[in-house]
Amino acid sequence: MLTDANRKKTAGAPMRLVIFLAITSLAISPAASAQDGPPGITDRTVFQAFNPSLPDCSKPPGLTNVLAYVQENEREFLQGVNNGLAMAARDRGLQYKRSLAENDVGKAVAEIQSFRAAKVGALVATSSDPTAVSSSLQQTIWSGAFVGTIVPPPATLLLNAPQYATGKALTDAAIAHINIKLGGKANVVLFTQDTMEFLTPRFEAMRDGLAKIPGVTIVADIAPSPVTKESGFATMNTILLANPDIDVVLGGDAVVLGALKALRAAGKDRPDQFLGGIDGEPEAVFEIKKGDSPFKASISLSSPVFGYAMGQFAADWLDGKTVPKAMDILPIALQSDNIAQYEADWANPAAVFADPVRRGDYLRMYGNICYDIRDQYVNFPWSSEMNN
């Protein structure tokens, strides 16, 4: 089986999670490096539901009404975040600035520091190396600015999906297909993101589920880097040299779409294959709508919707209001009967945010924070699955 050389087996997901939390706590604790400001909440903490009716706080002084976004790369999922943030900034009268890091961690750090020096009032940042950017994000929080992140800390508003549940939703769909369409037997490729340890639970769910099917063989369990369509294409081409007959491919939408391109180029695509991804990217939705594509399912984490919500809360922060400390991005299994509504919501996230019922299908909010209590920012790998 093709594996990452540096990925080692350990004894069970719970123990891996405990070890990871311990290591992460050390990495971001005050003892790990000299602190110029409060360390935030570094211990595992369960947050109550967000209460929007709490009293207002102070407006951050000396900061500009600018919402900035440091974007890791141009994959559609992150472009969706950009679209949602830009719409929210426009609707709330904020100036919007975006910087594309192009998978360059050093550039991401430099851009975050540049935005902090320019005294932006709100910053959202994504990076393939959370450890490298964490210090700069922390300094931005200390400046009084709103800081939003997607999965890794630190942040005044941290977004995460229930990662194990997200991976399980995709795996359950794949298992049903294997049993019904493939006679219970399948050669499976897992495109993981285990180098991003915050996402590990979704891939643990895949391995746990597939391990229960005797006829399943995982022929490759590997993390393409960066997480792009191009990486998926290149990695799949390598896998096909040793394993030309692939039945199932699971991973993020971008890399699985790259795998689909490689299968088609090699003449190894079949209508009875199951390719499934996570993120609900437009190209994945397009493939699902074809009906005869190997790409059968995507677990939606609607990035324009949560991007818009994050932009709205950034504006609230600058207005001195209380905002959530953490937010769940709820996974939705896209099927033929809900794709039309999903596409409408992708195009118009403002309408979703304005409707509490529709918003509740995508997002769930926890905790409260504002400028006056910014020392209570999230600085541990929060997940709502900690409540279970």
Side-chain angles (χ1 to χ4, degrees):
M1 182 179 76
L2 182 61
T3 61
D4 283 328
N6 61 351
R7 191 177 64 78
K8 297 181 179 179
K9 301 286 186 181
T10 55
M15 181 59 69
R16 273 190 289 271
L17 180 58
V18 169
I19 293 171
F20 166 62
L21 290 174
I23 292 172
T24 305
S25 297
L26 289 173
I28 59 180
S29 70
S33 61
Q35 293 286 340
D36 297 317
I41 300 173
T42 58
D43 294 329
R44 171 177 166 151
T45 303
V46 174
F47 301 131
Q48 301 303 310
F50 171 58
N51 182 359
S53 64
L54 290 183
D56 288 350
C57 297
S58 306
K59 295 182 180 181
L63 300 179
T64 60
N65 286 327
V66 174
L67 171 58
Y69 177 38
V70 177
Q71 182 175 330
E72 178 185 346
N73 56 44
E74 290 189 287
R75 63 189 174 103
E76 289 180 320
F77 179 75
L78 297 178
Q79 283 292 90
V81 178
N82 174 53
N83 294 341
L85 289 171
M87 290 181 193
R90 178 199 63 202
D91 291 348
R92 294 295 296 271
L94 300 180
Q95 184 180 359
Y96 182 64
K97 296 183 178 181
R98 183 190 74 135
S99 172
L100 184 61
E102 299 174 316
N103 301 308
D104 184 332
V105 176
K107 182 177 180 181
V109 172
E111 291 298 322
I112 293 169
Q113 292 174 342
S114 177
F115 282 131
R116 178 177 58 85
K119 299 186 181 301
V120 299
L123 173 70
V124 175
T126 60
S127 173
S128 58
D129 189 341
T131 302
V133 301
S134 62
S135 177
S136 297
L137 291 175
Q138 204 169 27
Q139 292 168 21
T140 306
I141 293 171
W142 296 336
S143 77
F146 170 97
V147 170
T149 62
I150 303 169
V151 183
T156 55
L157 173 54
L158 186 149
L159 275 68
N160 197 1
Q163 297 293 343
Y164 195 92
T166 299
K168 185 177 185 301
L170 180 59
T171 308
D172 287 347
I175 290 172
H177 182 92
I178 292 168
N179 287 331
I180 295 169
K181 300 294 185 180
L182 299 174
K185 296 181 179 180
N187 289 333
V188 178
V189 171
L190 296 184
F191 280 160
T192 75
Q193 290 169 260
D194 283 340
T195 52
M196 177 79 78
E197 294 185 81
F198 305 96
L199 300 179
T200 296
R202 67 170 59 167
F203 305 107
E204 296 292 356
M206 294 178 189
R207 297 181 187 108
D208 290 348
L210 293 169
K212 298 175 184 177
I213 312 300
V216 164
T217 300
I218 298 177
V219 299
D221 185 333
I222 192 166
S225 182
V227 183
T228 61
K229 187 175 178 180
E230 293 74 20
S231 286
F233 177 77
T235 306
M236 193 66 192
N237 278 330
T238 301
I239 292 169
L240 288 173
L241 294 176
N243 300 278
D245 297 316
I246 301 299
D247 301 301
V248 175
V249 183
L250 304 180
D253 276 347
V255 288
V256 175
L257 286 165
L260 176 59
K261 182 180 177 182
L263 287 166
R264 285 174 172 162
K268 294 295 184 180
D269 60 310
R270 310 188 316 267
D272 67 338
Q273 288 168 318
F274 184 99
L275 274 65
I278 296 170
D279 287 339
E281 293 191 359
E283 187 177 348
V285 172
F286 174 79
E287 289 289 340
I288 294 168
K289 289 168 66 176
K290 285 182 178 180
D292 61 349
S293 171
F295 206 111
K296 297 293 194 300
S298 181
I299 306 304
S300 163
L301 304 172
S302 183
S303 56
V305 171
F306 71 70
Y308 187 87
M310 189 177 283
Q312 284 282 342
F313 289 128
D316 285 347
W317 175 280
L318 293 173
D319 284 344
K321 297 179 180 178
T322 186
V323 303
K325 190 173 290 187
M327 189 155 61
D328 251 345
I329 314 166
L330 302 178
I332 298 172
L334 295 182
Q335 302 170 348
S336 59
D337 61 352
N338 65 3
I339 282 181
Q341 184 62 62
Y342 173 79
E343 290 182 310
D345 292 346
W346 180 285
N348 188 10
V352 178
F353 188 80
D355 182 338
V357 175
R358 286 171 64 191
R359 185 176 65 215
D361 290 337
Y362 290 97
L363 304 172
R364 190 172 294 134
M365 303 161 198
Y366 303 84
N368 285 80
I369 192 170
C370 61
Y371 172 78
D372 291 343
I373 53 172
R374 62 193 182 280
D375 61 316
Q376 295 300 300
Y377 63 92
V378 182
N379 204 2
F380 70 97
W382 175 86
S383 168
S384 65
E385 290 177 319
M386 292 177 177
N387 297 2
N388 300 329

